[in-house]
């Protein structure tokens, strides 16, 4: 069983990494699409068509398959190690996984809207939204490594601090872009 476990865990981690890669990049493409929609012709049409193709390939060839495979391997691991479901840290991790799935599904909704040229969000909102996967990743990694409730309190404080730093970084970038639109 241990031999299979390590292979399954490796596959789970590989697909989690590729899933996150897609979740990190797709909002960035949304930002480019939103900003391209504000340009004049023919630049607007050229850019939006290219960005639609790029997001479609990323979403359906990398992100969705990775999400499904990461989830399947995770379930398989839990079947092999049901004792984990009795651990408090695993309950919290599964809560973050649920948040990740909801984040993924919301990205899917935004993807579908942009494929129909329905721009409902600003590029500034998308810059903030882009950090959602980062916060979830930090939370899950620290939780899985530490597994201790006391350390988890420090982890939450660290995630809050990271969130504040990300917001400050976004504000700084926004002010730099205001001064130099090509930055």
């Amino acid at each position: 069983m241990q031999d299979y476990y390590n292979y399954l865990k490796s596959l789970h981690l590989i697909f989690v990494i590729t899933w996150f890669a897609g979740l990190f990049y797709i909002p960035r493409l949304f930002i480019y699409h939103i900003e391209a929609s504000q340009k004049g012709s023919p630049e607007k049409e050229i850019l939006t068509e290219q960005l639609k193709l790029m997001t479609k390939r990323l979403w359906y060839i990398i992100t969705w398959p990775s999400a499904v495979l990461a989830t399947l391997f995770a379930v398989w691991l839990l079947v092999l190690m049901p004792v984990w479901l009795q651990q408090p840290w695993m309950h919290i991790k599964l809560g973050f996984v649920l948040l990740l799935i909801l984040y993924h599904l919301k990205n899917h909704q935004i993807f579908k809207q942009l494929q129909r040229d329905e721009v409902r969000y600003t590029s500034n909102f998308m810059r903030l939204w882009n950090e959602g996967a980062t916060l979830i990743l930090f939370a899950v990694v620290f939780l899985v490594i530490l597994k201790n409730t006391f350390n988890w309190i420090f982890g939450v404080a660290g995630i809050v601090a990271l969130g504040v730093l990300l917001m400050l970084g976004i504000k700084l970038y926004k002010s730099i872009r205001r001064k130099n639109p090509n930055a």
Side-chain angles (χ1 to χ4, degrees), residues 9 14 22 35 41 54 59 61 80 88 95 101 105-106 108-109 123 128 161 175:
K9 187 175 181 180
I14 288 165
E35 290 177 350
S41 286
M54 291 170 67
W59 200 239
I61 296 173
L80 290 177
I101 291 168
L105 292 173
K106 183 62 180 177
H108 186 76
Q109 181 184 44
S123 60
L128 292 172
S175 70

Side-chain angles (χ1 to χ4, degrees), residues 67-183:
V68 170
L69 290 168
T71 303
L72 287 175
F73 285 116
V75 170
W76 197 347
L77 288 168
L78 288 173
V79 167
L80 290 177
M81 300 292 285
V83 69
W84 283 353
L85 293 171
Q86 298 170 2
Q87 303 295 319
W89 67 269
M90 181 56 77
H91 298 160
I92 297 168
K93 178 190 174 190
L94 292 174
F96 280 112
V97 170
L98 178 61
L99 277 176
L100 183 65
I101 291 168
L102 293 173
Y103 180 81
H104 179 101
L105 292 173
K106 183 62 180 177
N107 276 314
H108 186 76
Q109 181 184 44
I110 296 166
F111 163 77
K112 295 297 255 179
Q113 290 166 352
L114 289 172
Q115 289 294 307
R116 295 186 305 264
D117 292 318
E118 296 172 15
V119 177
R120 298 187 182 176
Y121 300 97
T122 65
S123 60
N124 285 331
F125 172 83
M126 276 298 136
R127 282 184 174 83
L128 292 172
W129 179 255
N130 193 27
E131 304 308 329
T134 303
L135 293 172
I136 294 170
L137 178 65
F138 268 77
V140 170
V141 168
F142 276 100
L143 179 62
V144 170
I145 299 299
L146 298 176
K147 291 183 180 98
N148 181 310
T149 305
F150 182 71
N151 288 336
W152 174 240
I153 293 168
F154 288 110
V156 168
I159 289 167
V160 170
L162 175 65
V164 169
L165 289 173
L166 289 171
M167 298 305 160
L168 290 172
I170 290 168
K171 286 187 81 141
L172 176 64
Y173 180 70
K174 187 177 177 181
S175 70
I176 291 170
R177 280 211 46 185
R178 224 179 287 124
K179 293 175 187 171
N180 180 4
N182 295 322

